[in-house]
Amino acid sequence: MRTRILGSGAGGGVPQWNCGCANCHAVRKGAPGIRARTQDSIAVSAKAGSWILCNTSPDIRQQIEAFSELHPRAPRHSPISAIVLTNGDLDHVLGLFSLRESYPLVVYATEAVRSGLVDHNVLMRTLERFEGQLTWRRLTLDVEVPVVGHDGQSTGVWVTARAVKGKVPVHLEGVAGHTEEDNVGLWLRDASGAVVAYVSAAAELEPIVPHVQGIEALLLDGTFWSSDELSAPGLAQSRAEDMAHLPIGGPHGSLSHAPRLSARQRIYTHINNTNPILVDGSEQRRALERAGFQLAWDGMDFGSAG
Ligand SMILES: [Zn+2]
Ligand SMILES: [Zn+2]
């Protein structure tokens, strides 16, 4: 299975439109040692010409244009066979509405994520203009399902959604109750048995640990280095944990669990623009590399299709 990181940034991306933090400023002025990043999404493929998007970020148009394998092969065509969603946060789903130009879409999601998007949402009507424009397929926790494209063909990929501690999207707070299905990690497997786990939002690691031993790659929530990364400089009130992101650093951070996360490749993604790991050679980046982790970047690519 081939994996392509389309967007390695958290919500807002790097730089974020209203952020003048040191990292966003450095990217805007083209400083060396730090890259721009679009918002959270990956694409996987186990078959030539067929790709599965995991999450559809607000930057989806730019992400498709930046990767020629996702370009059309005919006047009306897309190599995107299906879409799988991890949760309903806008940085993971808003791109769906950018795919409204009358092309069939198949979207796999838990029932909580589907209803959170569909109920009382007039914008969904733009994806329901003809029979078969948008087909929902349900992800049930811990049940592996084959990912079948909009053409009815197998993509050669199977997906298992596992509950990961998260939260309801901000726009559903006080509207929808919290369920285990609000936030999932995706375990993507091909026919050879290769598995890539995509866990771009996680408030705790315990449910993940038993399922990553010996897999090809773990893409893990790297949103924040520290709990007070936004609150200390006065950028926001919330701590990382309040936003359902376990920080990387600190005595209980995800990096302290590195020996238990024994995937062959371990990669932090969904990085917030304030995170010091974004700077090449920073103390935090070096700590991550010493522990055998990599930092995702837009365009990072590994594995091979079929
Ligand atoms: Zn996100
Ligand atoms: Zn910033």
Side-chain angles (χ1 to χ4, degrees), residues 86-164:
T86 60
N87 69 25
D89 289 344
L90 288 187
D91 58 315
H92 304 170
V93 303
L94 212 47
L96 260 187
F97 302 100
S98 296
L99 303 179
R100 67 189 179 283
E101 285 86 6
S102 297
Y103 196 78
L105 302 173
V106 166
V107 181
Y108 287 77
T110 65
E111 176 53 21
V113 169
R114 188 202 65 83
S115 66
L117 263 171
V118 169
D119 295 350
H120 316 295
N121 181 0
V122 289
L123 296 182
M124 287 307 302
R125 298 178 68 201
T126 197
L127 298 175
E128 295 162 349
R129 287 185 280 182
F130 60 90
E131 180 80 28
Q133 184 180 3
L134 176 60
T135 304
W136 289 99
R137 298 217 179 102
R138 186 168 180 171
L139 291 177
T140 303
L141 297 178
D142 303 314
V143 177
E144 186 177 69
V145 292
V147 180
V148 176
H150 58 77
D151 55 4
Q153 301 289 308
S154 162
T155 60
V157 175
W158 288 258
V159 63
T160 306
R162 300 187 200 282
V164 176

Side-chain angles (χ1 to χ4, degrees), residues 112-113 115-117 119-120 167-179 182:
V113 169
S115 66
L117 263 171
D119 295 350
H120 316 295
K167 60 169 184 53
V168 293
V170 173
H171 56 279
L172 293 178
E173 282 172 7
V175 176
H178 170 70
T179 86
D182 288 334

Side-chain angles (χ1 to χ4, degrees), residues 8-231:
S8 56
V14 188
Q16 174 179 313
W17 71 282
N18 62 345
C19 190
C21 77
N23 285 346
C24 288
H25 181 66
V27 173
R28 283 195 189 98
K29 74 170 191 203
I34 186 163
R35 294 169 184 254
R37 284 178 158 78
T38 61
Q39 295 166 81
D40 180 64
S41 179
I42 66 169
V44 299
S45 176
K47 213 172 93 174
S50 166
W51 287 87
I52 299 162
L53 295 188
C54 300
N55 289 339
T56 49
S57 98
D59 301 315
I60 192 165
R61 181 179 171 280
Q62 179 187 347
Q63 292 169 340
I64 289 170
E65 291 309 318
F67 183 35
S68 63
E69 298 248 4
L70 295 180
H71 294 174
R73 306 276 183 262
R76 273 289 181 273
H77 170 261
S78 171
I80 299 168
S81 298
I83 293 163
V84 191
L85 301 177
T86 60
N87 69 25
D89 289 344
L90 288 187
D91 58 315
H92 304 170
V93 303
L94 212 47
L96 260 187
F97 302 100
S98 296
L99 303 179
R100 67 189 179 283
E101 285 86 6
S102 297
Y103 196 78
L105 302 173
V106 166
V107 181
Y108 287 77
T110 65
E111 176 53 21
V113 169
R114 188 202 65 83
S115 66
L117 263 171
V118 169
D119 295 350
H120 316 295
N121 181 0
V122 289
L123 296 182
M124 287 307 302
R125 298 178 68 201
T126 197
L127 298 175
E128 295 162 349
R129 287 185 280 182
F130 60 90
E131 180 80 28
Q133 184 180 3
L134 176 60
T135 304
W136 289 99
R137 298 217 179 102
R138 186 168 180 171
L139 291 177
T140 303
L141 297 178
D142 303 314
V143 177
E144 186 177 69
V145 292
V147 180
V148 176
H150 58 77
D151 55 4
Q153 301 289 308
S154 162
T155 60
V157 175
W158 288 258
V159 63
T160 306
R162 300 187 200 282
V164 176
K165 190 176 170 196
K167 60 169 184 53
V168 293
V170 173
H171 56 279
L172 293 178
E173 282 172 7
V175 176
H178 170 70
T179 86
E180 266 203 304
E181 291 192 342
D182 288 334
N183 185 57
V184 298
L186 303 175
W187 271 252
L188 302 144
R189 179 180 69 81
D190 69 10
S192 77
V195 173
V196 171
Y198 182 50
V199 188
S200 64
E204 64 174 30
L205 292 182
E206 291 317 314
I208 300 168
V209 170
H211 302 289
V212 298
Q213 315 306 321
I215 66 171
E216 298 305 307
L218 167 65
L219 291 154
L220 185 60
D221 182 345
T223 311
F224 299 114
W225 176 263
S226 54
S227 294
D228 63 353
E229 193 167 309
L230 294 185
S231 54

